[in-house]
């Protein structure tokens, strides 16, 4: 298996484990990631961390050796597979953190962009270098990058194929936080900042923000009114507001 799924406390950890090829994404590995994400959806966890095995790479992208010589139908199906697998992260019941421990290129950065959050070591390098291969990002990069960092910056990265360091990635909003090694500990610490809140409120908040990117503002505001009202109706909201008044810590029950 080139993907390892484990659990630490209330956090699932998905490790890409093909360090000899810098965790490059063969189609078989994409299928394994998809199966692992399905399992995460049924696990009693409150967050998911995705990271790469070895010292060098989060993931160096699609397996370039496997990409050669494919017919167009197979290639399109491959792109759709990558998109479908990464899209599972959008609808996962829990938020995900990409822990970028080294190179994140091409499909590797596309996987990280599909996560809810990205943290990176200062030494990490990332980019969408497909243009250098005569290719165009195919696992969501042309759609997710402009949504994260804006069209002008996305075009800069996609059309030059240049690699950027973690500090620039944070400056442009591609990475949420620069963190210290060991990255798994840093990612677990970040997860602990939100896993104590109620899952319904976390889910509604994530959904409202995700939909903001796809909707005209008048529609988005309606979604916000609906989801914030749903949150208000939860027992967790009652508990949270009561705890505030009684000057105690709330005990959320995901209800
Ligand atoms: N596919 C297949 N194998 C890869 C790979 C990839 N994307 N990236 C690295 N490897 C393999 C190398 O071939 C090498 O294997 P061998 O020892 O058998 O030759 C091994 O991993 C180590 O790689 P390097 O020797 O190249 O390591 P380096 O430290 O010198 O360079 C690197 C690191 C800059 C990341 C370089 O490996 C590189 O440029 N990799 C390709 C990055 C890339 O172009 N990614 C985009 C792929 S296309 C894509 O992802 C399309 C899409 O949108 C889905």
């Amino acid at each position: 298996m080139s993907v390892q799924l484990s659990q630490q406390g209330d956090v699932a950890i998905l490790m890409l484990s093909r360090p000899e090829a810098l965790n490059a994404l063969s189609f078989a590995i994409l299928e394994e990631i998809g199966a692992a994400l399905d399992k995460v959806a049924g696990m009693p966890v409150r967050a998911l961390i995705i990271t790469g095995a070895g010292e060098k790479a989060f993931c160096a992208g699609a397996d370039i050796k496997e990409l050669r010589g494919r017919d167009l139908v197979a290639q399109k199906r491959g792109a759709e597979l990558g998109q479908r697998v990464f899209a599972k992260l959008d609808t996962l019941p829990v938020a995900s953190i990409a822990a970028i421990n080294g190179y994140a290129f091409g499909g590797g950065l596309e996987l990280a962009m599909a996560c809810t959050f990205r943290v990176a070591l200062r030494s990490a390098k990332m980019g969408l270098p497909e243009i250098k291969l005569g290719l165009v990002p195919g696992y969501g990069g042309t759609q997710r990058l402009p949504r994260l960092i804006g069209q002008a910056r996305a075009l800069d990265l996609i059309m030059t194929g240049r690699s950027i360091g973690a500090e620039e990635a944070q400056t442009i909003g591609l990475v949420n936080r620069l963190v210290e090694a060991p990255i798994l500990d840093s990612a677990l610490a970040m997860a602990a900042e939100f896993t104590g809140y109620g899952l319904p409120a976390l889910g509604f908040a994530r959904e409202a923000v995700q939909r903001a990117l796809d909707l005209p503002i008048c529609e988005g505001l309606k979604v916000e009114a609906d989801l914030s009202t749903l949150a208000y109706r939860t027992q967790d909201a009652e508990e949270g507001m009561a705890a505030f008044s009684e000057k105690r810590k709330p005990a959320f029950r995901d209800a």
Side-chain angles (χ1 to χ4, degrees):
M1 292 289 272
S2 301
V3 165
Q4 286 159 12
L5 183 61
S6 60
Q7 186 173 341
Q8 196 159 323
D10 54 11
V11 179
I13 298 165
L14 195 160
M15 169 96 72
L16 306 180
S17 192
R18 192 192 175 198
E20 68 287 359
L22 305 186
N23 303 319
L25 298 168
S26 63
F27 292 111
I29 292 179
L30 278 178
E31 300 274 10
E32 280 185 45
I33 295 171
L37 293 178
D38 289 342
K39 275 194 196 147
V40 172
M43 284 166 72
V45 293
R46 308 182 74 79
L48 164 69
I49 293 171
I50 300 183
T51 194
E55 299 289 303
K56 279 180 79 171
F58 173 77
C59 171
D63 187 325
I64 299 168
K65 294 164 194 168
E66 194 185 55
L67 281 186
R68 297 189 65 191
R70 291 158 61 78
D71 68 51
L72 288 184
V73 172
Q75 184 54 22
K76 181 142 186 277
R77 289 208 177 118
E80 287 164 352
L81 171 67
Q83 291 178 358
R84 198 166 55 244
V85 167
F86 294 177
K88 285 177 191 273
L89 288 157
D90 292 329
T91 51
L92 208 62
V94 296
S96 47
I97 302 174
I100 305 176
N101 54 308
Y103 298 122
F105 288 128
L109 183 58
E110 290 171 302
L111 172 59
M113 286 193 285
C115 290
T116 318
F117 304 108
R118 285 149 294 287
V119 299
L121 295 181
R122 283 174 193 279
S123 55
K125 299 251 181 299
M126 53 207 95
L128 292 178
E130 284 88 342
I131 203 82
K132 296 179 181 172
L133 301 164
L135 298 173
V136 166
Y139 295 170
T142 66
Q143 303 304 301
R144 288 203 172 88
L145 191 59
R147 282 168 164 81
L148 283 171
I149 65 171
Q151 192 184 54
R153 285 172 169 149
L155 283 168
D156 172 349
L157 291 187
I158 290 170
M159 294 184 69
T160 67
R162 75 187 172 92
S163 154
I164 60 173
E167 284 188 17
E168 182 175 353
Q170 189 197 25
T171 303
I172 63 177
L174 180 54
V175 156
N176 292 88
R177 299 183 191 183
L178 303 184
V179 296
E180 303 300 322
I183 196 164
L184 198 51
D185 289 352
S186 296
L188 284 165
M190 183 180 180
E193 290 181 36
F194 62 83
T195 49
Y197 300 128
L199 285 181
L202 287 169
F204 295 144
R206 191 158 63 100
E207 186 182 341
V209 173
Q210 279 169 345
R211 297 195 49 193
L213 299 171
D214 300 326
L215 293 174
I217 189 153
C218 56
E219 296 300 320
L221 289 172
K222 282 186 200 159
V223 168
E224 182 186 273
D226 288 347
L227 290 173
S228 62
T229 308
L230 269 180
Y232 177 80
R233 291 289 293 167
T234 60
Q235 291 171 27
D236 282 346
E238 237 169 75
E239 164 65 9
M241 292 185 283
F244 175 81
S245 302
E246 293 157 18
K247 299 188 188 303
R248 61 174 173 80
K249 204 171 173 278
F252 294 122
R253 291 185 301 141
D254 298 336

